[in-house]
Amino acid sequence: MFGYLQIQKSELLVREAEAYKAVYCGLCRQMGKDYSGLTRFTLSYDCTFYAMFLMSLNRSCKGFKDGRCTCNPLKKCKFATDEGDAYGKAAAFSMISVYYKIIDDIQDGGFFKKLLCRIIKPFFSHQRKKAADKYPDMDKAVADMMNMQYDAEHSENPSVDMSAHPTALMLATLFSAEAHDEIQKRVLYEFGYQLGRWIYLVDAADDLKKDIESNGFNPFVNKKTGEVKSADFIAAVLNQSLARAYDAYNLMNFTDFKGILDNMMLLGFPASQNRVTSKLDTEVNNE
């Protein structure tokens, strides 16, 4: 994922901010345990959200324990405990996602990015294989997404919906797999789909200027005519997906970490979107 699933820290209670950090640190420790200490540098807000969401959905966090930072042993910190597999899945998803992002950059990146990706590819290929052995369905979902994304972006003139569908479907598949019954499965599918759609499109909006300058693919730019969608259109599309994700979120009954998840859905994600859309008027109007 891309780093847009963040908290609005200034609006969190102190205990909520500490709990969020405890999940972040717990996931960091798990990544080092399951894979390599170097993989901790790939730790993202997105995978922290994924871990916290799963822990809340399954009520698998049974408290916090004191410890020392795995990166800085002189620093004390708290770790959220997890009696389920939330950390394991979030850590694996990070490894799988990073690997396929490296493959994508080798195909479409510039010279220096391709060179760097080829250097680090063997290391992350090994980590991805370990993750795929534990969670083959997760690896298949991400691999299918990458193949669908390639087909969409290399089609004659893909629509916004067609371009966003692969990422949306991938997250819908991952989230719905956590359902305990058929009704919850439908809700989780819708939540994952709309969240994935929003993530892909907000990232595309964030990269709009760069993609225009490099003549790279962007769903908001017509491949045939070069016409760029208006800033109002882009904001409306993003608002629609985020609103539908929130509607699905409201159908789920959370107790653990609810204040933090509410903060992210109502404040953190919109703030990430606003940081992107606030620059669109200038970028689009200059084209």
Side-chain angles (χ1 to χ4, degrees):
M1 292 188 271
F2 306 92
Y4 300 104
L5 305 185
Q6 300 186 23
I7 57 171
Q8 187 78 336
K9 188 174 180 179
S10 61
E11 298 299 323
L12 283 176
L13 299 175
V14 173
R15 59 179 172 81
E16 290 173 338
E18 291 178 348
Y20 179 82
K21 187 174 183 299
V23 174
Y24 186 92
C25 292
L27 179 56
C28 178
R29 172 182 278 185
Q30 188 74 36
M31 289 173 68
K33 176 183 175 182
D34 289 352
Y35 303 101
S36 162
L38 293 176
T39 64
R40 294 189 178 110
F41 291 104
T42 68
L43 180 60
S44 68
Y45 294 117
D46 298 339
C47 286
T48 303
F49 168 77
Y50 184 43
M52 180 173 285
F53 186 93
L54 295 183
M55 291 165 71
S56 184
L57 183 70
N58 298 311
R59 305 208 67 182
S60 60
C61 179
K62 301 303 180 183
F64 304 86
K65 62 180 181 181
D66 295 324
R68 293 192 176 274
C69 175
T70 51
C71 296
N72 180 9
L74 298 178
K75 182 181 178 181
K76 293 181 179 180
C77 60
K78 288 185 179 294
F79 297 92
T81 62
D82 175 37
E83 294 187 358
D85 206 13
Y87 283 148
K89 289 179 178 178
F93 185 59
S94 180
M95 292 301 95
I96 293 169
S97 299
V98 169
Y99 170 76
Y100 284 108
K101 179 66 169 64
I102 289 171
I103 298 300
D104 184 58
D105 286 342
I106 290 175
Q107 292 176 338
D108 299 327
F111 174 78
F112 291 106
K113 179 178 280 189
K114 287 182 178 180
L115 179 62
L116 174 62
C117 288
R118 286 194 174 100
I119 292 172
I120 64 176
K121 180 186 171 184
F123 172 78
F124 282 102
S125 177
H126 177 64
Q127 307 307 328
R128 169 255 166 187
K129 185 178 185 304
K130 288 198 291 185
D133 287 343
K134 293 180 180 179
Y135 306 101
D137 290 343
M138 180 184 292
D139 182 69
K140 183 179 184 302
V142 179
D144 288 347
M145 179 269 290
M146 294 298 296
N147 291 331
M148 291 175 63
Q149 197 69 61
Y150 181 88
D151 291 341
E153 293 182 3
H154 289 81
S155 62
E156 187 173 349
N157 193 28
S159 66
V160 170
D161 288 339
M162 180 181 177
S163 301
H165 176 69
T167 304
L169 181 62
M170 181 268 291
L171 280 190
T173 301
L174 293 188
F175 277 103
S176 61
E178 302 297 326
H180 301 134
D181 55 56
E182 194 59 35
I183 294 176
Q184 189 182 54
K185 184 174 183 178
R186 292 172 61 184
V187 173
L188 285 169
Y189 185 96
E190 175 68 8
F191 175 76
Y193 191 93
Q194 296 302 330
L195 185 64
R197 187 175 189 272
W198 178 81
I199 290 171
Y200 176 84
L201 293 177
V202 77
D203 184 63
D206 203 9
D207 289 343
L208 184 60
K209 182 178 180 180
K210 180 191 72 175
D211 290 336
I212 291 173
E213 291 174 348
S214 65
N215 199 31
F217 174 81
N218 193 290
F220 297 121
V221 180
N222 188 292
K223 288 179 72 172
K224 288 185 175 180
T225 66
E227 179 185 0
V228 182
K229 297 291 187 183
S230 70
D232 288 341
F233 173 88
I234 295 173
V237 168
L238 294 174
N239 286 336
Q240 180 191 48
S241 287
L242 198 55
R244 292 184 66 176
Y246 183 67
D247 287 342
Y249 170 79
N250 273 335
L251 295 176
M252 293 177 269
N253 297 317
F254 291 115
T255 51
D256 300 345
F257 305 120
K258 179 172 172 52
I260 305 172
L261 294 173
D262 285 351
N263 172 282
M264 298 176 86
M265 293 296 305
L266 289 170
L267 300 173
F269 300 175
S272 292
Q273 178 178 311
N274 289 338
R275 284 194 293 272
V276 172
T277 56
S278 62
K279 63 183 181 180
L280 285 179
D281 281 321
T282 302
E283 292 179 357
V284 172
N285 290 338
N286 285 341
E287 298 304 321

